[in-house]
Amino acid sequence: MMKSLLLVLVSFTMFMACTSDPAVKTNTNPVSNTPGVSNQGSEVIAQYDNISQEQAEKIMAERKAEKAAEIAENLPGYRAHAKELVKERSSKEKAMATMTTDHWAYEFVFSGSEMSKKGAYDGHWLKFEDDHTYTYGVGEQVNGAGKYHYSIQTDKMIMVDDRDDMMPEEWEIKAQDEVMIMVGSGYFGNNPRQCKMLRWNGRPAVSAATI
């Protein structure tokens, strides 16, 4: 686990080093997560289908709408399945004290297309409880809650938000002492995302730059 965590942390460090170098040009084109579309989005459609950019953007919009409709249709089933998994596994495996003792503060979030800027998530936190519930928020404000299960056997965590319109999430957890990396899994579709978390005593304060 130590080796895997170090590899992930090195990737984060290298990414931040590149993005902070003014000589490095970053790609500002929007990224599409729709099937069949590369990270160039509508520009690729226009190029390979020999159509106008306007037509390509229309295709992109249609694909996004189809994907949103598919998610909305299947969301209740995904949530019911995730809740059952959490309930069943929680009855067999207790929460880990290493996860529940302190808050976890977000340091960086990788969305699948870009890394968050330093300080963008100041004050954002996540708190796991011994009864397999969790809360999250910013500073002293609680923004939401849900149920979770983390297995030390597989290092996988399932999280189900209390909000009915939220898709469940599965994460691979790489934790070592004061640092935790959450790597999204493809099971519920949050696989492009990664989060670097720091163990925190209490809720982290919101910096003036974040307000």
Side-chain angles (χ1 to χ4, degrees), residues 8 12 28 33 46 62 81 92 114 149 159 189 191 193 201:
V8 175
F12 266 85
T28 57
N33 292 324
E62 290 173 348
H81 179 51
K92 300 176 181 178
E114 62 181 0
H149 174 264
M159 300 176 68
N191 51 305
R193 297 180 59 210
N201 183 16

Side-chain angles (χ1 to χ4, degrees), residues 29-30 37 40-49 53 56-57 60:
N29 289 329
V37 181
Q40 298 300 317
S42 58
E43 293 182 5
V44 170
I45 296 178
Q47 177 182 353
Y48 287 96
D49 290 353
Q53 184 68 27
E57 290 175 356
M60 286 281 289

Side-chain angles (χ1 to χ4, degrees), residues 118-144:
K118 184 175 179 59
Y121 281 84
D122 281 358
H124 290 244
W125 54 267
L126 181 60
K127 180 66 170 70
F128 300 105
E129 304 295 345
D130 292 331
D131 63 354
H132 297 282
T133 62
Y134 67 89
T135 52
Y136 56 90
V138 181
E140 291 302 316
Q141 180 176 340
V142 177
N143 293 336

Side-chain angles (χ1 to χ4, degrees), residues 7-24 26 107-111 113-121 181 194 196:
L7 288 174
V8 175
L9 289 175
V10 169
S11 299
F12 266 85
T13 303
M14 291 179 64
F15 188 95
M16 292 307 299
C18 291
T19 54
S20 61
D21 187 347
V24 178
T26 57
E107 185 175 27
F108 292 108
V109 174
F110 180 64
S111 65
S113 61
E114 62 181 0
M115 184 75 75
S116 61
K117 295 181 180 179
K118 184 175 179 59
Y121 281 84
I181 305 297
Q194 296 185 28
K196 181 182 177 183

Side-chain angles (χ1 to χ4, degrees), residues 142-172:
V142 177
N143 293 336
K147 295 180 175 60
Y148 80 98
H149 174 264
Y150 167 65
S151 173
I152 193 174
Q153 305 297 325
T154 63
D155 287 326
K156 293 290 183 68
M157 176 186 290
I158 294 179
M159 300 176 68
V160 189
D161 199 288
D162 287 344
R163 285 177 47 183
D164 291 336
D165 61 341
M166 295 289 287
M167 180 69 78
E169 298 175 329
E170 184 183 55
W171 302 90
E172 182 177 357

